[in-house]
Amino acid sequence: MTQHSAENAENPAEKAGEKITDKAPVTLLGLGAMGTALARAWLAAGHPLTVWNRTPARAAALAAEGAKAADSAAAAVAANPLVVVCLLDDASVADTLDGTDLTGKDLVNLTTTTPAEARARARWAHERGARYLDGGIMAVPPMIGAPGAGGYVLHSGSRELFEQHRETLATPAGATYVGTDPGFAALYDMALLGAMYGMFAGAAHAFALIRKEDIDPVALAPLLADWLVAMAPSVHRTAANLRGGDYTEGVVSSLAMQVAGTPAFLRAAEEQGASAELLRPYFDLMRRRLDEGGGDEDLTGVVDLLVR
Ligand code: FVH
């Protein structure tokens, strides 16, 4: 039986203790909760990984798991053609990449930013000779490297970069390309997360309403979750109406009927000793649309009231 060890290896890389792999090498800058989860997913899949983090202890922890810890962001960028950044915000991306040589690099920025910041960062990267792909992570850290958990990353910008590195990018979570405009991934990200916060606000109202009663919040939770899931497909009707322009098409619950019901929600909150401050702004918009003559519509017209 042949013994395969670094000592008797013929390949110089193997002799130096490096594993031979056909997986693309990755540089990752930023090892917060999300960056660390990404790093572990690439390591688990066998990608050679170079990491850097402002606070070195986080990189040292990953070095113990097989990553190479670079001494500086510049050294990490120099190590590999594919450079992924996952930092706190756009300002920290600027701080980190300042002084690195991005010539010929493929820069993938998974930091949460605004669409305008993403477009400006793309221009900035192009001026420095890099291809640029922006990303919006639709996952929390435990969903990374967990196939079937439903996490994915929205990407936009260089299609060539995305196609070339698709497999690597899809390793931590699914990879979805949403267009060549580098701002689109951030825009979709903000749209989806904004809707999520609306849902969280609605859930906060629901729990506040029962808070003073002898009702176990744990008993309400499954009813609430199932109801939100049952209502979620209404977004397809909203989208179809926005596209078609006729907001009375397929209406199930008219705006007039719903506005007539809103005072009961406010009275119920009052009775339960809960503030209706999360609901009131939305109810005000429904009332405005009704006053404009939208009584036969559903809630689609509220969208237009928000567009300035
Ligand atoms: N974690 C989550 O649930 C969400 C899920 C959706 C996507 N977000 C976005 O991902 C980006 C990174 O998030 P994170 O969870 O890794 O964030 P933190 O654990 O707070 O780590 C922040 C990292 O950024 C480094 N950093 C901050 N400021 C600077 C700076 N001026 N220069 C260099 N690095 C900086 C920080 O370094 P250190 O504090 O360890 O030294 C961390 O590596 C983010 O855009 C989320 O919105 C996550």
Side-chain angles (χ1 to χ4, degrees), residues 27-95:
T27 283
L28 175 63
L29 306 174
L31 299 172
M34 184 53 79
T36 297
L38 294 169
R40 291 204 166 113
W42 276 313
L43 286 173
H47 287 267
L49 184 68
T50 302
V51 293
W52 176 87
N53 192 63
R54 180 182 60 176
T55 305
R58 286 176 150 169
L62 281 162
E65 297 174 35
K68 277 189 212 165
D71 290 338
S72 64
V77 168
N80 296 308
L82 177 61
V83 177
V84 179
V85 294
C86 185
L87 294 158
L88 187 63
D89 54 16
D90 187 58
S92 55
V93 174
D95 282 354

Side-chain angles (χ1 to χ4, degrees), residues 87-290:
L87 294 158
L88 187 63
D89 54 16
D90 187 58
S92 55
V93 174
D95 282 354
T96 300
L97 293 179
D98 186 36
T100 66
D101 182 2
L102 290 170
T103 313
K105 300 293 176 183
D106 283 340
L107 179 62
V108 179
N109 183 8
L110 302 183
T111 307
T112 303
T113 67
T114 70
E117 285 169 343
R119 287 170 184 141
R121 187 60 55 203
R123 284 193 296 277
W124 179 93
H126 295 153
E127 283 161 15
R128 283 157 184 77
R131 292 195 296 190
Y132 183 86
L133 189 69
D134 206 82
I137 303 176
M138 304 312 303
V140 290
M143 293 162 81
I144 299 297
Y152 66 97
V153 182
L154 295 156
H155 290 283
S156 71
S158 169
R159 187 185 292 277
E160 295 75 24
L161 190 169
F162 179 77
E163 292 303 341
Q164 186 179 329
H165 299 290
R166 181 194 280 265
E167 205 182 315
T168 304
L169 296 174
T171 294
T176 301
Y177 185 75
V178 293
T180 55
D181 184 330
F184 274 14
L187 183 55
Y188 277 69
D189 188 32
M190 289 288 150
L192 299 187
L193 294 179
M196 176 193 77
Y197 279 116
M199 180 188 75
F200 289 161
H205 177 82
F207 283 120
L209 214 54
I210 64 151
R211 198 70 176 131
K212 291 186 175 171
E213 298 284 352
D214 185 19
I215 297 175
D216 185 351
V218 173
L220 180 69
L223 300 173
L224 189 51
D226 287 354
W227 179 240
L228 292 173
V229 168
M231 287 295 100
S234 71
V235 300
H236 298 297
R237 169 53 50 200
T238 305
N241 286 359
L242 285 170
R243 178 192 269 180
D246 178 2
Y247 297 175
T248 63
E249 182 76 26
V251 170
V252 174
S253 304
S254 75
L255 182 65
M257 179 280 291
Q258 295 197 60
V259 171
T262 56
F265 286 86
L266 302 179
R267 287 199 308 277
E270 189 70 34
E271 286 170 14
Q272 294 304 120
S275 166
E277 63 196 301
L278 288 171
L279 287 187
R280 205 171 267 116
Y282 191 66
F283 286 171
D284 289 347
L285 288 162
M286 289 163 63
R287 159 65 62 185
R288 266 172 62 196
R289 185 67 184 180
L290 178 69

